[in-house]
Amino acid sequence: MALTYTPDAEIGSTCPDFKLPGIDGRTYQKTDEKSDFKNFKALLVMFICNHCPYVKAIEERLISLAREVNLKGVEVVAISSNDADNYPDDSFANLQKRAREKNYPFPYLYDESQKIAKAFGAVCTPDFFLYDSHYKLSYRGRLDDSWKDPMEVTREELKDAMIALVEGRKPSSEQRPSMGCNIKWKK
């Protein structure tokens, strides 16, 4: 596992189109023709996986945050793009199992081809992309200031960015990179 940090955000860039299978049997998409993510004040697309210790450490916070912000008009979607052949914990069946066990309050999508991760420029798990209601990138940074210990969190940067968008404000321009395991690319 190589520790990887997200690069500087291209604030204002447009959310890439995607069409991916969800672990619930549905196909989710965001394209010019159709979007399953409508009438939102913000859209969070997060790249996560099952096996990454960085994701595991913040998983309960992600679930809680998703439940809280969904009530405020924020759509949340998770995507796993890891090579499941070499990382079987991240197989489609194991994604389904994990989402059921944890009762994920967001769609969990599978990017088997890894094309969507590449289109977003995702580099690690977790990697967060927060878009405004016009699908323009407004935040790409970390969840908070203590990935390892929730008791040491003093700044909830992702949540603050979401609340700013919900309230019609721009998130802070000071955005610290997320860090985690590199995406496990296919050879």
Side-chain angles (χ1 to χ4, degrees):
M1 279 179 255
L3 176 60
T4 303
Y5 290 86
T6 55
D8 289 339
E10 294 181 31
I11 299 301
S13 60
T14 301
C15 180
D17 287 347
F18 60 89
K19 184 176 182 179
L20 293 169
I23 55 91
D24 59 2
R26 287 184 52 201
T27 296
Y28 292 84
Q29 68 182 23
K30 183 260 155 209
T31 64
D32 290 337
E33 295 81 40
K34 180 180 184 250
S35 179
D36 292 305
F37 309 99
K38 300 178 190 169
N39 303 318
F40 59 86
K41 296 178 181 175
L43 171 65
L44 174 64
V45 178
M46 54 186 181
F47 288 83
I48 64 171
C49 68
N50 286 359
H51 85 276
C52 173
Y54 293 91
V55 173
K56 287 180 179 180
I58 64 169
E59 185 176 38
E60 293 302 325
R61 284 179 270 172
L62 288 178
I63 292 168
S64 177
L65 178 61
R67 286 193 177 111
E68 179 183 346
V69 298
N70 191 261
L71 298 173
K72 295 175 174 27
V74 178
E75 291 269 5
V76 178
V77 61
I79 299 173
S80 179
S81 299
N82 277 352
D83 174 8
D85 291 337
N86 290 307
Y87 297 87
D89 284 352
D90 296 329
S91 71
F92 190 78
N94 284 326
L95 299 181
Q96 289 176 311
K97 182 180 175 188
R98 184 73 176 184
R100 275 193 307 270
E101 287 172 355
K102 293 293 187 170
N103 194 25
Y104 282 177
F106 44 77
Y108 197 11
L109 313 183
Y110 185 49
D111 177 23
E112 184 176 14
S113 72
Q114 301 184 319
K115 289 179 184 174
I116 303 307
K118 290 176 182 172
F120 273 83
V123 297
C124 62
T125 55
D127 201 343
F128 303 106
F129 296 81
L130 180 64
Y131 296 91
D132 67 17
S133 61
H134 303 288
Y135 297 110
K136 298 297 182 189
L137 186 64
S138 298
Y139 180 85
R140 184 179 183 190
R142 64 188 183 181
L143 173 68
D144 56 39
D145 62 349
S146 179
W147 74 269
K148 200 170 196 177
D149 185 354
M151 301 306 289
E152 293 185 19
V153 172
T154 61
R155 290 188 311 272
E156 298 176 292
E157 289 113 326
L158 179 58
K159 180 179 177 179
D160 292 345
M162 291 175 172
I163 299 302
L165 289 177
V166 166
E167 293 176 351
R169 298 180 288 111
K170 288 186 175 189
S172 172
S173 60
E174 184 180 340
Q175 299 180 7
R176 291 176 182 86
S178 184
M179 67 178 198
C181 300
N182 62 307
I183 290 182
K184 306 309 183 224
W185 301 108
K186 294 179 180 185
K187 296 201 183 321

